[in-house]
Amino acid sequence: LSERLIVDGAGDELERLAATANEMLTRLEASFDTIARFTADASHELRTPVAIVQTTGEVILMADRTPDEHQQAWRTVLMQTDRMGRLIEDLLVLARTDCREPETSFEPLDLGTCIADAIRDVRILAETAEITLTATLVTPCIVIGDTDALRRVFLIILENAVKYTPAGGTIEVSMKCNRRGIQETAIVSIRDTGIGIHEQDLPRIFERFYRVSRDRSRRTGGAGLGLSIAQSFILRHNGTISVTSVPLQGSVFDIELPLSNSAVFTESPE
Ligand code: ADP
């Protein structure tokens, strides 16, 4: 693949054809590199919990262990198999979106309700972490989409906001409507007062397996797939997801989704 067509002096038509072919080869090479990196990262992520389960299994089989040590070892096994299970689920989700399966599950849904459901699921996490979570939602606000996928997107971003915001901080969810030509859109902003993200990391956080700090993320349980899943779900809905952030001050994730034309707007606090 590393070879390129050289047709100097062969005439405009042929030179253009060779340039197009070379461009395609370059893109193919980049795709192969991405696939190779993805496979290597996925294998690496799976190898760690497998190794932990293996050594813990050996501990369980040792005759001189106390019941307490046995229990602790079994807890470790369960934690690691849970981690592997979640990772495999995430890899399957990404594989399915990569295959561009037809959108059979798309139907009209109220975005405000979908976000309220996700907020309900993370509220207990936020309270435990002593973080104030507020939301002002617009409802009804109808988009055509997959409720489960969109709820997952908001869960991913809200859970990250909780993970990366210290105690005493706040997370604010707000929603507004926008008009782009004839297309109306909803913009959902999730703003936190957390640790923020450095400028050099910002363009990379939607990449698969990208984590700003591996140690911190490992402690918080993430494999760096959350935001790439969120992004592929939003792209499937013809929407956009973007982030702005200031280190030590916080981050804002904006999601813009096209509205179904039948939407009617009234503001209501969650
Ligand atoms: P992870 O599972 O590690 O959280 P994600 O894909 O969800 O993976 O996020 C990628 C990285 O982006 C995280 O490891 C974290 O460093 C950074 N990040 C995501 N959301 C936030 C946030 N709200 N504040 C600070 N950093 C964040």
Side-chain angles (χ1 to χ4, degrees):
L1 256 185
S2 58
E3 287 185 20
R4 293 288 182 271
L5 298 171
I6 301 166
V7 287
D8 284 346
D12 280 358
E13 200 83 334
L14 260 184
E15 277 180 29
R16 263 203 304 276
L17 201 65
T20 311
N22 288 338
E23 164 77 6
M24 279 166 61
L25 284 172
T26 306
R27 283 201 211 162
L28 259 181
E29 266 173 5
S31 299
F32 285 143
D33 285 350
T34 308
I35 293 166
R37 189 154 32 93
F38 182 66
T39 311
D41 286 343
S43 314
H44 178 81
E45 285 300 325
L46 281 168
R47 202 168 53 182
T48 312
V50 166
I52 297 175
V53 168
Q54 206 158 12
T55 39
T56 315
E58 283 159 14
V59 169
I60 289 169
L61 284 178
M62 285 175 182
D64 60 345
R65 298 290 141 165
T66 65
D68 269 2
E69 283 170 332
H70 264 156
Q71 234 188 21
Q72 181 55 42
W74 277 115
R75 261 199 291 273
T76 305
V77 168
L78 288 177
M79 234 168 70
Q80 295 304 322
T81 45
D82 179 60
R83 180 173 158 193
M84 279 188 271
R86 273 183 288 134
L87 182 62
I88 290 166
E89 273 306 310
D90 285 353
L91 290 172
L92 281 172
V93 165
L94 284 168
R96 255 180 251 131
T97 48
D98 283 349
C99 290
R100 300 198 185 109
E101 283 176 7
E103 319 295 4
T104 46
S105 50
F106 274 27
E107 56 187 9
L109 62 95
D110 179 27
L111 192 62
T113 307
C114 183
I115 299 169
D117 287 346
I119 290 175
R120 200 172 317 118
D121 289 346
V122 291
R123 195 168 283 288
I124 184 78
L125 282 183
E127 279 170 10
T128 311
E130 294 172 37
I131 293 166
T132 310
L133 173 56
T134 64
T136 309
L137 304 175
V138 175
T139 186
C141 181
I142 310 299
V143 302
I144 308 291
D146 175 339
T147 314
D148 288 341
L150 289 178
R151 191 168 50 219
R152 176 93 200 268
V153 169
F154 295 112
L155 262 178
I156 288 168
I157 294 169
L158 285 165
E159 279 177 0
N160 275 347
V162 172
K163 273 196 281 187
Y164 299 108
T165 300
T170 56
I171 300 171
E172 260 175 55
V173 184
S174 61
M175 213 172 149
K176 65 176 187 220
C177 298
N178 196 17
R179 185 181 281 280
R180 277 204 188 155
I182 54 160
Q183 178 67 66
E184 271 181 311
T185 61
I187 302 176
V188 183
S189 299
I190 298 167
R191 178 185 298 272
D192 67 56
T193 58
I195 59 170
I197 303 160
H198 276 282
E199 209 181 329
Q200 77 263 20
D201 293 309
L202 273 181
R204 302 202 57 195
I205 60 167
F206 293 100
E207 284 176 20
R208 294 174 186 192
F209 293 110
Y210 189 79
R211 290 173 295 205
V212 172
S213 152
R214 280 190 173 244
D215 286 350
R216 190 185 167 107
S217 295
R218 207 176 283 292
R219 265 187 285 127
T220 51
L225 288 176
L227 287 178
S228 47
I229 290 176
Q231 187 182 48
S232 46
F233 280 164
I234 291 299
L235 291 177
R236 261 177 60 200
H237 285 77
N238 294 321
T240 58
I241 179 167
S242 56
V243 57
T244 50
S245 188
V246 180
L248 303 178
Q249 285 189 23
S251 314
V252 187
F253 284 83
D254 285 320
I255 291 171
E256 184 162 18
L257 286 166
L259 285 178
S260 151
N261 287 339
S262 55
V264 182
F265 306 112
T266 50
E267 281 232 339
S268 77
E270 202 259 323

